[in-house]
Amino acid sequence: MNSGIFSAIGLSGIDPAIIFIVLLVLLVVAFVLLVVQGNKLKKLEKKYNKFMQGKEAESLEDEIVGLFHDNRMIRSENEKNRKDIIDINKRLNHSFQKIGLEKYDAFSQTGGKLSFALCMLDENDNGFLMNSVHNTDGMNYSYSKAINGGVSDVELSKDEKRALDKALASVNR
């Protein structure tokens, strides 16, 4: 079979059945590619619908912008909290954290431990020791001694020393 069209494009010696078979194979390949692309499109559409479920495109954009705004707010609050914690820790070092209390009977005949020595120290073992002595007449005398680095600059009585030792041994809680 001689065709003027086949002769014009230089395919005059080829059997038309071969051309038909080649076109049929190309058609099958195109159909397979169409089915594969259709499946991919369905999967993508399912993911898109799940992502957009209950949302319109504009409201979703507003959601995302809101999340970015919330994220900025959380970051600034976090930074403020971090600075506040550092400030609190600095102040805590100078607050009284260690306490020692020793109750004692200043005069054996009064009965009852109405006198006491109270020691209050900060993180660096600085603070004071207060002694309150209750005498037999019912009078109460109080005085204090400075404590620096866990040591008093004046001599301590045995009860005051026990109060200081209790404070030095107390654990920060």
Side-chain angles (χ1 to χ4, degrees):
M1 176 170 145
N2 286 336
S3 169
I5 294 174
F6 287 147
S7 297
I9 58 172
L11 299 175
S12 61
I14 294 181
D15 187 14
I18 294 175
I19 294 174
F20 178 74
I21 292 173
V22 169
L23 288 176
L24 187 62
V25 168
L26 287 175
L27 184 64
V28 168
V29 169
F31 182 73
V32 169
L33 288 175
L34 180 68
V35 170
V36 169
Q37 290 302 317
N39 286 338
K40 286 184 179 181
L41 185 61
K42 281 184 183 179
K43 287 180 184 178
L44 183 61
E45 189 176 11
K46 283 181 183 178
K47 288 180 182 180
Y48 175 77
N49 286 337
K50 187 175 182 179
F51 181 71
M52 298 297 283
Q53 186 175 9
K55 300 284 183 183
E56 298 172 10
E58 291 177 15
S59 66
L60 184 62
E61 182 180 344
D62 293 341
E63 275 297 310
I64 292 171
V65 168
L67 289 173
F68 279 117
H69 176 70
D70 291 347
N71 191 13
R72 279 190 213 110
M73 258 182 22
I74 289 170
R75 283 184 183 181
S76 67
E77 283 293 319
N78 187 33
E79 183 63 24
K80 181 187 175 300
N81 290 343
R82 190 182 65 76
K83 288 177 182 177
D84 287 346
I85 289 170
I86 290 171
D87 183 51
I88 289 169
N89 283 333
K90 284 180 184 176
R91 291 173 188 237
L92 186 62
N93 287 336
H94 300 293
S95 65
F96 294 124
Q97 301 175 28
K98 302 174 185 179
I99 298 173
L101 176 65
E102 182 67 26
K103 291 184 76 173
Y104 63 95
D105 190 1
F107 305 100
S108 301
Q109 66 264 20
T110 59
K113 296 181 177 181
L114 300 177
S115 300
F116 66 89
L118 173 67
C119 184
M120 299 181 76
L121 303 174
D122 66 6
E123 179 73 18
N124 300 316
D125 296 333
N126 298 322
F128 67 91
L129 189 141
M130 186 174 109
N131 197 345
S132 178
V133 180
H134 183 81
N135 71 12
T136 55
D137 296 334
M139 298 295 287
N140 209 19
Y141 299 98
S142 298
Y143 56 93
S144 65
K145 297 179 180 177
I147 307 292
N148 292 311
V151 178
S152 174
D153 55 347
V154 295
E155 189 173 341
L156 300 177
S157 69
K158 63 179 175 141
D159 299 308
E160 292 171 334
K161 179 70 174 132
R162 277 193 291 244
L164 176 61
D165 291 342
K166 283 181 180 180
L168 291 171
S170 68
V171 179
N172 298 341
R173 295 190 196 250

